[in-house]
Amino acid sequence: MEESFFVRVYEVVKKIPYGRVTSYGAVARYLGAAGSSRMVGWAMNNSHSYDPSIPAHRVVNRKGMLTGKHHFGSPDIMQQLLENEGIEVVDDCVKNFSGIFWDPSVELRI
DNA sequence: ACGTTGACCTATA
DNA sequence: GTATAGGCCAACG
């Protein structure tokens, strides 16, 4: 299975449970590409080209801040989607981030 | 083809 | 504790 790094990211992101969020670094580390967190961001950028259904809104940066909200077509979509799942978002930052944080390298345990 | 940018993270000063 | 630098790999100009 020679799945590209991007595809790997998509698979993990789609496995994120409801009402949970994760960070780019966590996904990158789970894929064994710790340090290449930027590639995860690029993967999200191309996510619409592979699978538009990818919940990229559940992926935020280390601070829990919605850094890529501007890439959803409208900067409000990401926050709306998160709030729709019961996630409180204030000032473009996820509340109780550590509480709803979902780490694939811990939950999936590879 | 080269240079810069990019939805980031970690480390050092 | 805040600021700056480095690194990672791929795509865009």
Side-chain angles (χ1 to χ4, degrees), chain A residues 18-19 57 77-89:
Chain A
Y18 178 87
H57 59 273
I77 297 176
M78 190 171 185
Q79 183 171 344
Q80 288 294 320
L81 291 171
L82 290 173
E83 290 179 341
N84 189 22
E85 296 188 356
I87 300 174
E88 296 181 72
V89 180

Side-chain angles (χ1 to χ4, degrees), chain A residues 24-83:
Chain A
Y24 304 94
V27 177
R29 188 175 61 182
Y30 169 72
L31 297 175
S36 301
S37 315
R38 287 169 143 166
M39 301 299 89
V40 179
W42 260 117
M44 293 293 104
N45 194 4
N46 279 284
S47 62
H48 64 86
S49 298
Y50 179 80
D51 192 339
S53 304
I54 295 176
H57 59 273
R58 290 181 184 165
V59 185
V60 292
N61 65 349
R62 186 106 169 74
K63 303 172 187 172
M65 185 176 177
L66 284 56
T67 49
K69 65 177 184 177
H70 284 283
H71 291 266
F72 280 83
S74 292
D76 295 328
I77 297 176
M78 190 171 185
Q79 183 171 344
Q80 288 294 320
L81 291 171
L82 290 173
E83 290 179 341

Side-chain angles (χ1 to χ4, degrees), chain A residues 12-24:
Chain A
V12 176
V13 174
K14 289 194 295 186
K15 287 178 181 174
I16 300 175
Y18 178 87
R20 287 288 190 86
V21 291
T22 188
S23 62
Y24 304 94

Side-chain angles (χ1 to χ4, degrees), chain A residues 91-109:
Chain A
D91 191 35
D92 299 336
C93 295
V94 178
K95 293 302 177 182
N96 193 19
F97 176 66
S98 301
I100 62 178
F101 181 72
W102 181 79
D103 192 342
S105 62
V106 175
E107 301 294 331
L108 296 178
R109 281 289 187 89

